[in-house]
C-alpha cells in the first residue's frame, strides 16, 4: 500500500461547485496536502470525450466526461470512477452511499474503503418507491462493503449501529468556516436591508418545510422580508407552485445563489436564518449559519436540536411559527442572545480544524 495517499470518490469534484460534500472534500484535500498526503479526486464533467487528468493545488484530478444528465449520469460516473480507482491500492474515501453496490470492487481488490454514510436518504418524502428501494439497498451494501463508516450525527451513528457493529462506525460532524464580517453592499441586489429580513436556504421540497415557513410569514402583515433561496419551477412542479401561491409581496425568490461571498453576506446580515429541514444528519447549511453567527429558527426535530442546541427557536407547524414571527422575532434582545449562542454552539463542535483532524486520525489508522 502506498503511504499517505488517499483516493476520494462519490463527489463531482474539486474545487467545490455543487454542495456540502464537495465543500468538505475541498477542505479535506487542502488540509491533507499540507500534511504531506498525496490526494487523488475523481471529477465528473459534462459532455463527451476521453478521461483526462489535471492538477489543482497539489491534488491530482481524474476527469470523466459524462454525456448523460441526472441520476443516470451520476451512476455511470460512479461506476467508471470505482472501476478505474481499483488500480490505486492506497486508502479510498467514498462520500455517500447512493451507489454503494459498486464498492464491492474495493472489497474484491482488497482495498481499504472508508464510507461517509450521509443521511437516511431512503426516508426522504421526495422519492418514489423505486428510488427509495435503491437507496435502502445501497445503504445496507455500504454498511457491508465499507471497511469503516463515518456518521455525521449521533442519530445517524445509532441508525447505522442497527446494521453493523458500532466499532465499525465513527461519528464526525460536518464543519464550516467562522464568518465574522461580510460585504453588506452585496445584499442590496436582493432588495433587502440589514436586520430587516430572514433567510431560507434549502432545496424546495416538502421535507424542508418551505411551504409552512412561507405560510407562517404571510399569515399576517409583517415588517421586513423573507428571502427564500432555491430554484423554483412553479409551472412544472406542484409543490413549487403551492409555495409561490402562498407568498405575498414580502417574500422574495431570488433563485439559487452559488456565490460564496454573497451567501456569506446574506447570512451575516439576516435577522434570522430559518431552517426547515425535517430529516437528515448534520446539515451543512445549518452549520454554516451557526458559523456566520446567525440567530436560528429551526424545525423541531432531534437532528436539528443536536446541531443547534440552545441557539435556536424551534417550531413545529405553521401556527407555532406565525406566533413566533409576531412575538420573539421582533425582540432585539432575543435576537442578540440567539446570535451569541450560535457562536458558542459552533465553536463547541463544528470548526473545520477539529473536523478535518478527526478525519485524518481515522484515515491514518486505516491506511
Amino acid at each position: 500500500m502506498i503511504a499517505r495517499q488517499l483516493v476520494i470518490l462519490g463527489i463531482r469534484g474539486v474545487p467545490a461547485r455543487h454542495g456540502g460534500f464537495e465543500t468538505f472534500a475541498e477542505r479535506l484535500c487542502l488540509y491533507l496536502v499540507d500534511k504531506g498526503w498525496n490526494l487523488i479526486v475523481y471529477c465528473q464533467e459534462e459532455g463527451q470525450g476521453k478521461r483526462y487528468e489535471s492538477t489543482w493545488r497539489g491534488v491530482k484530478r481524474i476527469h470523466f466526461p459524462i454525456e448523460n444528465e441526472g441520476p443516470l449520469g451520476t451512476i455511470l460516473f460512479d461506476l467508471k470512477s470505482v472501476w478505474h480507482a481499483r488500480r490505486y491500492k492506497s486508502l479510498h474515501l467514498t462520500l455517500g452511499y447512493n451507489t454503494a453496490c459498486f464498492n464491492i470492487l474495493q472489497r474484491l481488490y482488497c482495498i481499504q474503503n472508508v464510507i461517509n454514510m450521509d443521511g437516511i436518504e431512503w426516508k426522504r418524502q421526495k422519492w418514489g418507491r423505486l428510488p427509495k428501494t435503491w437507496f435502502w439497498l445501497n445503504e445496507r451494501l455500504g454498511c457491508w462493503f465499507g471497511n469503516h463508516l463515518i456518521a455525521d450525527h449521533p442519530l445517524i451513528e445509532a441508525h447505522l449501529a442497527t446494521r453493523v457493529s458500532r466499532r465499525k462506525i465513527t461519528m464526525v460532524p460536518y464543519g464550516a468556516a467562522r464568518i465574522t464580517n461580510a460585504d453588506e453592499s452585496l445584499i442590496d441586489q436582493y432588495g433587502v436591508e440589514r436586520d430587516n429580513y430572514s433567510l431560507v436556504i434549502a432545496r424546495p421540497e416538502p421535507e424542508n418545510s418551505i411551504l409552512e415557513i412561507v405560510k407562517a410569514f404571510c399569515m399576517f402583515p409583517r415588517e421586513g422580508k423573507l428571502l427564500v433561496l432555491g430554484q423554483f419551477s412553479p409551472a412544472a412542479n406542484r409543490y413549487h407552485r403551492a409555495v409561490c401561491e402562498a407568498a405575498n409581496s414580502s417574500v422574495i425568490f431570488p433563485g439559487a445563489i452559488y456565490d460564496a461571498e454573497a451567501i456569506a453576506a446574506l447570512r451575516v446580515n439576516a435577522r434570522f436564518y430559518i431552517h426547515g429541514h425535517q430529516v437528515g444528519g448534520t446539515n451543512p447549511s445549518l452549520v454554516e449559519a451557526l458559523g456566520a453567527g446567525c440567530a436560528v429558527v429551526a424545525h423541531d426535530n432531534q437532528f436539528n436540536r443536536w446541531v443547534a442546541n440552545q441557539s435556536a427557536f424551534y417550531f413545529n407547524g405553521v401556527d407555532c411559527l406565525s406566533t413566533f414571527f409576531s412575538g420573539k422575532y421582533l425582540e432585539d434582545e432575543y435576537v442578540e442572545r440567539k446570535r451569541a449562542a450560535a457562536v458558542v454552539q459552533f465553536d463547541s463542535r463544528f470548526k473545520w480544524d477539529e473536523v478535518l483532524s478527526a478525519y485524518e486520525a481515522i484515515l491514518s489508522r486505516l491506511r
Side-chain angles (χ1 to χ4, degrees):
M1 180 181 292
I2 300 173
R4 299 180 70 81
Q5 178 168 286
L6 178 67
V7 177
I8 298 180
L9 302 131
I11 59 169
R12 294 195 181 185
V14 293
R17 292 177 296 177
H18 296 281
F21 264 151
E22 281 75 21
T23 300
F24 163 74
E26 177 180 326
R27 290 276 185 166
L28 181 65
C29 284
L30 298 178
Y31 180 88
L32 293 179
V33 165
D34 285 344
K35 298 285 186 176
W37 288 66
N38 296 321
L39 271 295
I40 300 170
V41 179
Y42 282 84
C43 303
Q44 180 178 348
E45 306 292 343
E46 295 181 0
Q48 298 176 320
K50 296 181 179 180
R51 182 189 73 248
Y52 66 96
E53 297 181 3
S54 68
T55 302
W56 173 79
R57 298 185 67 175
V59 178
K60 179 180 178 179
R61 302 187 297 178
I62 300 175
H63 304 262
F64 277 102
I66 301 295
E67 184 177 3
N68 305 85
E69 298 180 356
L72 177 58
T74 299
I75 291 171
L76 290 174
F77 167 68
D78 287 346
L79 177 58
K80 289 183 176 183
S81 299
V82 176
W83 178 249
H84 186 270
R86 79 194 189 284
R87 67 190 61 193
Y88 297 109
K89 304 303 181 183
S90 55
L91 183 64
H92 290 193
L93 172 63
T94 301
L95 299 175
Y97 65 81
N98 292 353
T99 55
C101 53
F102 303 145
N103 296 132
I104 192 175
L105 288 169
Q106 281 104 338
R107 281 289 189 175
L108 293 175
Y109 284 87
C110 299
I111 298 169
Q112 291 269 3
N113 184 28
V114 179
I115 303 179
N116 182 311
M117 293 298 289
D118 200 12
I120 309 174
E121 193 69 24
W122 54 271
K123 283 191 174 182
R124 297 188 185 279
Q125 298 177 36
K126 65 179 180 179
W127 301 121
R129 182 176 298 178
L130 182 59
K132 283 186 175 182
T133 301
W134 170 266
F135 291 130
W136 186 89
L137 288 171
N138 276 280
E139 179 191 76
R140 278 148 183 78
L141 294 173
C143 290
W144 297 337
F145 295 154
N147 296 94
H148 196 78
L149 310 179
I150 295 178
D152 70 5
H153 192 287
L155 290 180
I156 301 296
E157 180 183 23
H159 171 71
L160 297 176
T162 66
R163 314 289 188 239
V164 294
S165 169
R166 193 176 287 269
R167 292 192 302 272
K168 190 177 178 178
I169 311 164
T170 303
M171 199 289 290
V172 184
Y174 189 82
R178 175 77 179 98
I179 300 174
T180 57
N181 57 68
D183 185 353
E184 185 176 338
S185 67
L186 293 176
I187 73 174
D188 295 342
Q189 61 188 305
Y190 304 110
V192 293
E193 301 174 347
R194 174 176 170 77
D195 201 38
N196 199 32
Y197 67 96
S198 282
L199 180 66
V200 179
I201 305 175
R203 292 188 181 92
E205 299 164 356
E207 65 193 30
N208 292 337
S209 309
I210 296 177
L211 180 58
E212 291 90 334
I213 294 168
V214 170
K215 283 183 174 180
F217 195 83
C218 297
M219 187 171 288
F220 301 105
R222 312 282 185 193
E223 292 185 8
K225 302 290 186 180
L226 179 68
L227 191 64
V228 182
L229 276 59
Q231 195 63 51
F232 285 79
S233 303
N237 185 293
R238 181 182 301 176
Y239 182 74
H240 296 186
R241 184 162 60 253
V243 172
C244 293
E245 289 175 351
N248 59 25
S249 59
S250 296
V251 182
I252 301 172
F253 298 96
I257 300 172
Y258 298 108
D259 182 88
E261 292 186 359
I263 293 290
L266 287 170
R267 284 193 173 108
V268 168
N269 291 288
R271 187 168 183 83
F272 277 95
Y273 167 76
I274 306 177
H275 188 76
H277 293 59
Q278 299 174 24
V279 296
T282 300
N283 183 270
S285 186
L286 181 53
V287 175
E288 289 162 359
L290 297 176
C294 292
V296 171
V297 178
H299 182 272
D300 193 358
N301 60 69
Q302 290 180 299
F303 293 104
N304 293 338
R305 280 191 175 272
W306 182 83
V307 175
N309 203 351
Q310 298 300 313
S311 66
F313 171 85
Y314 295 96
F315 73 92
N316 191 358
V318 173
D319 291 339
C320 173
L321 188 54
S322 179
T323 300
F324 168 78
F325 283 136
S326 299
K328 293 288 188 183
Y329 181 87
L330 304 174
E331 299 175 11
D332 292 340
E333 183 181 350
Y334 181 81
V335 176
E336 292 304 318
R337 287 205 311 271
K338 291 301 182 185
R339 285 172 175 164
V343 174
V344 172
Q345 179 66 4
F346 174 81
D347 287 341
S348 72
R349 286 176 178 163
F350 304 114
K351 292 187 288 188
W352 270 129
D353 282 349
E354 296 175 5
V355 170
L356 300 177
S357 177
Y359 266 86
E360 186 186 19
I362 296 167
L363 298 172
S364 296
R365 187 173 72 246
L366 295 172
R367 67 178 174 82

